[in-house]
Amino acid sequence: TQLLEQSPQFLSIQEGENLTVYCNSSSVFSSLQWYRQEPGEGPVLLVTVVTGGEVKKLKRLTFQFGDARKDSSLHITAAQPGDTGLYLCAGARNYGQNFVFGPGTRLSVLP
Amino acid sequence: SQTIHQWPATLVQPVGSPLSLECTVEGTSNPNLYWYRQAAGRGLQLLFYSVGIGQISSEVPQNLSASRPQDRQFILSSKKLLLSDSGFYLCAWGAMGSAFFGQGTRLTVV
């Protein structure tokens, strides 16, 4: 069974601070995605990384895919209250036929 | 552009009653379709996925079933709900190694 672990589970920081959350697995994935989810809503895709070592930037968010395609990190610079939410990583398996999700990191950014 | 519709948004059902949740996708053909369940504030558990009409793969044994009667329609059903079926159900479609989700259905079995 391919499992994804995420750390930390919970993170509470002040506005303006930087943070990094991690997604780790013992399995190799063809691609890995990051989502943000707000209460009562479906997850919203932030980014998909495909190539080992790949780095993608989305405004203040930087995503990195590990060289071995088993892990990923999400770094947020100068966090804002609007960044608050549940951050989920997911790995594509069976040639992208379906996806396995990590348990998520719940981020709270205090004004 | 592609859109995904899932309804209802909330549902309260008594134990032993049937269930039917519907999901439709617009703007794409032959999508992979998924049903996930999410425990409160946590990760998503894959229940079913489908790569085509009438093709359903089940990830976990349970009290639920899924059907895909049309290319862009995916239905989650149960004949008799259990208390443990309560949760947040999410439909999604997949392409290019990414999944795109509907708004979810909050099901409470009482």
Side-chain angles (χ1 to χ4, degrees):
Chain A
T1 302
Q2 294 172 300
L3 295 176
L4 281 167
E5 299 177 346
Q6 290 189 244
S7 60
Q9 274 190 304
F10 302 95
L11 186 57
S12 182
I13 61 171
Q14 293 294 132
E15 182 176 2
E17 293 183 359
N18 301 333
L19 67 115
T20 302
V21 297
Y22 300 92
C23 176
N24 297 287
S25 175
S26 58
S27 302
V28 176
F29 292 98
S30 57
S31 68
L32 194 142
Q33 304 87 48
W34 284 93
Y35 298 82
R36 182 170 68 213
Q37 184 181 24
E38 299 195 18
E41 299 183 6
V44 176
L45 179 68
L46 297 174
V47 77
T48 298
V49 286
V50 179
T51 305
E54 181 177 6
V55 177
K56 282 191 174 179
K57 292 190 175 184
L58 184 65
K59 296 184 180 179
R60 295 176 293 101
L61 279 60
T62 301
F63 305 87
Q64 185 162 9
F65 202 11
D67 291 341
R69 291 188 289 130
K70 293 182 179 181
D71 54 83
S72 181
S73 63
L74 160 59
H75 181 80
I76 301 179
T77 303
Q80 299 177 0
D83 296 326
T84 293
L86 179 68
Y87 287 81
L88 296 158
C89 67
R93 58 180 186 175
N94 295 340
Y95 306 102
Q97 279 196 352
N98 58 60
F99 306 89
V100 59
F101 279 78
T105 293
R106 182 160 298 281
L107 172 65
S108 178
V109 181
L110 306 174
Chain B
S1 63
Q2 300 86 1
T3 56
I4 181 168
H5 303 279
Q6 183 183 344
W7 66 93
T10 59
L11 191 59
V12 179
Q13 292 283 104
V15 169
S17 64
L19 173 73
S20 180
L21 301 181
E22 188 165 345
C23 173
T24 60
V25 181
E26 296 176 0
T28 184
S29 296
N30 197 30
N32 291 342
L33 296 173
Y34 311 93
W35 280 109
Y36 284 88
R37 179 168 57 201
Q38 186 175 30
R42 301 307 287 160
L44 280 63
Q45 179 188 34
L46 180 63
L47 302 177
F48 301 96
Y49 72 95
S50 171
V51 299
I53 296 174
Q55 300 179 64
I56 308 296
S57 296
S58 174
E59 287 291 300
V60 293
Q62 58 208 314
N63 186 42
L64 302 168
S65 62
S67 62
R68 184 170 178 173
Q70 300 181 45
D71 181 43
R72 288 170 285 180
Q73 183 184 30
F74 206 22
I75 298 171
L76 183 68
S77 304
S78 174
K79 292 183 179 179
K80 289 185 178 181
L81 285 168
L82 306 173
L83 286 174
S84 58
D85 290 324
S86 294
F88 191 48
Y89 289 83
L90 288 155
C91 178
W93 71 276
M96 307 289 286
S98 302
F100 303 91
F101 287 85
Q103 287 298 296
T105 295
R106 171 73 58 194
L107 172 65
T108 303
V109 183
V110 297

